[in-house]
Amino acid sequence: MKWRNWHYRFSFKTKILGLVLSVSIISISLMAMFTSYYYTESAKNDFYMIAQDSTARMNHQLDRYFTQMAQSTYASIAGPLPSNSMLGDNPESGLLQKWLISGHMFSREQEALVEGIMSKYIAINYSNVLGIVLRSIDNRLIYSKDHSLSHPMIDYSPWLSSPLADRLTIVPSHYRPQDTLMAAYPFITLSVPVFNPNSLKLIGNLNIALSMTEIEDILGQTRLGKTGFFFIVDSNGKIVYHPDVALAGRRVEDTVIRALPVGGHGTVVKRNGEKILMSSNRSDLTGWILVASVPVREMASGLDFARKATMYVMSGIIVISLFLIPRMVDQVVRPILRLRNLMKQVENGDTSVRAEVITGKDEIQQLNGSFNQMTSRLNELIHTVHRLEINEMQLQLRQRDAHIRALQNQINPHLLYNTLEIIKSIAFIEKVPTIEKMVTSLAAVYRYSSKMPGAEVLLRDELKNLQHYLEIIHIRFDHFHSSISVDEACMDCRVIKLSLQPIVENSVKYAVEPKNGNARITITAYEHNGDLIIDISDNGNGFPEEDLARITHGMKLVEQHSEPAEEESVGIINVHSRMALKYGSPYGVSVHSFPGKGSKVSLRFPKKINS
């Protein structure tokens, strides 16, 4: 694909420069990313730790405040002791319980005493108490005097429509007049259970309305960044307290802080594209959730400085890289460019060029050394190829000469055939069958020799010609014996024409004739390692040492592509030469002589089936 090779359009120097700059920029960018990430995570963890501690401590303070408020009302509920032998009866003793039990029978003066008891509690104890409302089990109400609660505010209070509380209950209340758009006025109501001192049954609730002053003081003691704040959400998801009073009493999901989840110990949310850190803690007494909220940027104020510092460092590295890296790359690329120029010279045919090599571990210098070895080897190969081309031409000429010499060794076939036919006719007329048979076999041998359809023939045809020749030898020597043992599977293999008869003729010369025909020649053919092996053995006296040395030397000259002496270029050497020219090494003739016992000549052919 072309897109995979796009980088080859640029120079090596450009690619190195781009690679180094890319690695530098990517490294700095990754460092900036990891720094920002871990810096932010560290700031978040610090915030969660601080926020958890702060919210837990504030919840504890609020719970203790509410508990103390409830405990301080018990004495007021009971009032003075009911009787004293020295001081006499106290009309206020147990008056609140009496009103709750049978207050509908109270006179106006008795109700005024009840209101006074509650008003004195407000005046003596707490300035942040807005008012007290006593509620009976039959929903009768009585208010403290000089309270700040209006009847619409009381009527809006959620505890009024709820069953009486049998334990301390903190109920958030929010008054929002229906006919105006003024901000809500939040306050908190503590519902303290009142029990009958005789039967210990619940008879009513003392409802104490508290302003948010104390809560504001407790939550205002801790700051979170510049704009961070705390707010309280009840178990129903309504805002109990928020620095923005207009949000009090509303559900979280209906306000601008709806994206801030509550109830989780630590989380990060987005609001108006800004990340906000949040942490919360639930009160065991009220069930309210105290939430701490602060923007991430305020808790990780050092992150901007780190980012700017990273940008400055990155810019500096890029500037330095643009100034220094090209010079460094040039030092690396210059030897490569020199080597490229030398390669162009070699490409143009000049193989004598050499590169300067400086000893060391530098890969370019090692490449220069390899280049010098390559050019030296290339010179050798060029000379070798040139020499082989010359030898090939010489081999082709020698092969042609060998073929011509083989033809020159033949007698004019027309004259020979006519003469042999005349001899055969005379022998037939004179009734000399031996001469007739000899002449017939000789004619067959020369007829086979004179036909030159190609360099290769079937082994079957070569053996048939050899049998005609052996018939002549049998007629010549009465005691001569010969045998041919060839596997039928080898009969259709191809061999060089006239390769067996010269070898057998050589055996006749060195083995049969010296023994006046009292000898034996054996021809065998078989397959060995995928090649065709033909062995011609005799039981003569073996080759004379000088003749064996001459034949062996002549075959080595043929293998070395040298021309043997003129008188040696017949018989075994001629056959070996033709086989070597045709098939190459390791094919050809091998001679084994056993003095006094005989000799064996082996011919190795590639096994080629007629096709």
Side-chain angles (χ1 to χ4, degrees):
M1 298 293 291
K2 291 184 178 180
W3 61 271
R4 294 181 180 176
N5 301 327
W6 62 270
H7 56 281
Y8 292 121
R9 300 178 182 177
F10 304 96
S11 66
F12 190 66
K13 181 177 181 180
T14 303
K15 286 188 282 190
I16 292 181
L17 181 60
L19 179 62
V20 173
L21 288 176
S22 299
V23 170
S24 300
I25 294 174
I26 292 174
S27 300
I28 297 174
S29 301
L30 290 175
M31 181 182 68
M33 290 171 57
F34 283 115
T35 301
S36 175
Y37 173 77
Y38 287 112
Y39 199 103
T40 304
E41 289 298 313
S42 177
K44 286 165 56 177
N45 293 333
D46 292 343
F47 164 77
Y48 294 146
M49 187 181 300
I50 295 172
Q52 281 292 309
D53 179 71
S54 299
T55 52
R57 180 164 41 82
M58 291 178 187
N59 264 332
H60 177 71
Q61 291 181 7
L62 289 174
D63 292 348
R64 187 175 60 178
Y65 166 66
F66 294 140
T67 303
Q68 289 176 349
M69 287 292 297
Q71 291 174 350
S72 67
T73 62
Y74 294 151
S76 298
I77 293 173
L81 295 175
S83 62
N84 189 308
S85 58
M86 297 181 63
L87 300 176
D89 293 336
N90 189 335
E92 296 182 359
S93 176
L95 193 59
L96 270 65
Q97 288 94 334
K98 293 178 182 179
W99 183 87
L100 291 172
I101 296 172
S102 58
H104 57 282
M105 300 174 59
F106 271 34
S107 64
R108 178 58 194 151
E109 290 77 7
Q110 290 175 315
E111 289 184 353
L113 287 175
V114 174
E115 294 173 353
I117 292 172
M118 294 187 294
S119 298
K120 282 188 290 185
Y121 173 80
I122 297 174
I124 294 174
N125 292 285
Y126 299 98
S127 60
N128 58 340
V129 178
L130 301 177
I132 300 177
V133 180
L134 189 63
R135 178 189 176 192
S136 67
I137 197 169
D138 55 357
N139 284 327
R140 288 178 289 109
L141 303 176
I142 188 169
Y143 301 88
S144 62
K145 293 181 179 179
D146 301 326
H147 60 78
S148 302
L149 299 176
S150 62
H151 282 289
M153 295 171 64
I154 296 298
D155 296 339
Y156 186 76
S157 298
W159 55 263
L160 186 60
S161 58
S162 302
L164 291 177
D166 58 357
R167 60 182 180 84
L168 176 62
T169 305
I170 297 90
V171 181
S173 304
H174 310 86
Y175 170 61
R176 185 184 299 274
Q178 301 299 321
D179 57 346
T180 65
L181 297 176
M182 64 181 293
Y185 182 77
F187 60 95
I188 297 173
T189 302
L190 270 66
S191 296
V192 181
V194 181
F195 298 94
N196 189 326
N198 297 320
S199 63
L200 299 180
K201 291 183 178 181
L202 180 68
I203 57 177
N205 284 163
L206 186 66
N207 299 287
I208 306 172
L210 302 176
S211 68
M212 291 290 183
T213 304
E214 187 68 20
I215 295 179
E216 291 176 349
D217 291 342
I218 293 175
L219 300 185
Q221 293 175 1
T222 304
R223 299 290 299 172
L224 295 174
K226 293 181 180 180
T227 61
F229 58 88
F230 296 91
F231 64 95
I232 301 175
V233 179
D234 66 13
S235 58
N236 296 321
K238 287 187 178 181
I239 298 176
V240 177
Y241 166 80
H242 194 280
D244 185 359
V245 181
L247 299 179
R250 300 173 62 182
R251 298 188 66 82
V252 174
E253 58 266 23
D254 298 330
T255 66
V256 294
I257 61 173
R258 59 183 176 273
L260 304 181
V262 296
H265 291 293
T267 185
V268 180
V269 297
K270 279 191 176 181
R271 184 181 66 184
N272 299 328
E274 184 177 26
K275 290 184 177 180
I276 307 295
L277 288 170
M278 297 193 64
S279 183
S280 62
N281 185 273
R282 183 182 293 272
S283 169
D284 295 331
L285 176 64
T286 63
W288 297 346
I289 300 173
L290 180 58
V291 182
S293 173
V294 65
V296 173
R297 56 179 171 79
E298 295 185 10
M299 294 302 295
S301 57
L303 184 59
D304 289 337
F305 174 78
R307 289 174 178 170
K308 291 179 181 179
T310 302
M311 292 300 297
Y312 292 145
V313 171
M314 182 183 296
S315 301
I317 290 178
I318 292 175
V319 171
I320 294 174
S321 299
L322 291 174
F323 179 76
L324 294 179
I325 292 178
R327 290 163 174 76
M328 296 171 60
V329 171
D330 187 65
Q331 294 294 325
V332 175
V333 174
R334 188 179 296 121
I336 299 177
L337 296 178
R338 285 199 297 264
L339 187 58
R340 182 195 64 180
N341 295 332
L342 293 175
M343 290 293 294
K344 286 184 176 180
Q345 291 181 256
V346 174
E347 183 182 351
N348 293 330
D350 185 5
T351 58
S352 63
V353 295
R354 294 294 183 272
E356 180 183 2
V357 179
I358 300 176
T359 304
K361 295 184 178 180
D362 184 79
E363 288 79 1
I364 301 299
Q365 298 303 319
Q366 295 176 359
L367 188 60
N368 287 340
S370 299
F371 172 80
N372 291 341
Q373 293 179 4
M374 180 195 71
T375 52
S376 299
R377 182 60 178 161
L378 189 59
N379 271 330
E380 295 177 2
L381 291 176
I382 290 174
H383 293 310
T384 300
V385 170
H386 181 65
R387 186 172 63 254
L388 289 176
E389 288 178 349
I390 295 175
N391 290 339
E392 180 67 22
M393 294 176 63
Q394 292 177 348
L395 288 175
Q396 292 178 0
L397 293 174
R398 288 180 56 208
Q399 188 176 15
R400 187 193 64 182
D401 293 342
H403 182 64
I404 292 174
R405 283 194 296 270
L407 293 177
Q408 288 176 347
N409 290 330
Q410 301 175 11
I411 303 174
N412 188 304
H414 296 288
L415 176 61
L416 179 62
Y417 294 156
N418 293 333
T419 304
L420 291 176
E421 286 297 329
I422 294 172
I423 297 174
K424 179 181 177 182
S425 299
I426 295 173
F428 178 76
I429 295 172
E430 296 294 332
K431 300 185 183 300
V432 185
T434 303
I435 297 176
E436 181 183 1
K437 184 178 180 181
M438 180 181 294
V439 170
T440 300
S441 298
L442 182 61
V445 170
Y446 277 96
R447 186 178 295 109
Y448 177 79
S449 301
S450 61
K451 294 179 180 180
M452 304 293 289
E456 291 181 333
V457 295
L458 297 180
L459 178 59
R460 186 188 308 278
D461 296 335
E462 186 72 7
L463 291 175
K464 184 177 180 180
N465 177 67
L466 182 61
Q467 286 175 340
H468 290 306
Y469 173 77
L470 289 174
E471 288 177 357
I472 298 174
I473 304 303
H474 276 287
I475 294 173
R476 180 182 175 186
F477 299 105
D478 294 335
H479 301 290
F480 171 69
H481 296 279
S482 66
S483 64
I484 298 176
S485 178
V486 177
D487 191 348
E488 183 63 27
C490 299
M491 285 296 189
D492 291 329
C493 294
R494 302 188 69 83
V495 297
I496 290 181
K497 186 177 181 180
L498 292 176
S499 57
L500 301 184
Q501 188 268 334
I503 304 299
V504 173
E505 185 177 351
N506 192 82
S507 296
V508 171
K509 177 181 178 181
Y510 287 99
V512 178
E513 290 181 354
K515 287 191 173 185
N516 292 321
N518 191 16
R520 183 181 185 87
I521 295 179
T522 303
I523 297 95
T524 58
Y526 55 91
E527 180 184 353
H528 181 260
N529 293 335
D531 293 333
L532 175 63
I533 308 297
I534 301 176
D535 291 336
I536 300 174
S537 306
D538 62 64
N539 59 351
N541 296 322
F543 288 92
E545 292 184 2
E546 62 276 9
D547 291 343
L548 181 61
R550 175 175 53 80
I551 294 173
T552 303
H553 178 68
M555 289 192 297
K556 287 183 178 180
L557 290 178
V558 170
E559 294 173 357
Q560 297 173 359
H561 309 294
S562 299
E563 186 72 21
E566 182 66 25
E567 64 274 7
E568 296 174 352
S569 59
V570 293
I572 295 177
I573 297 177
N574 181 275
V575 173
H576 180 73
S577 176
R578 286 187 289 148
M579 291 180 66
L581 291 172
K582 178 66 176 179
Y583 305 120
S585 179
Y587 302 104
V589 179
S590 59
V591 180
H592 306 279
S593 178
F594 308 97
K597 295 181 180 181
S599 61
K600 182 177 73 171
V601 178
S602 297
L603 289 76
R604 178 180 290 270
F605 293 93
K607 187 177 181 182
K608 298 167 63 177
I609 303 299
N610 186 32
S611 58

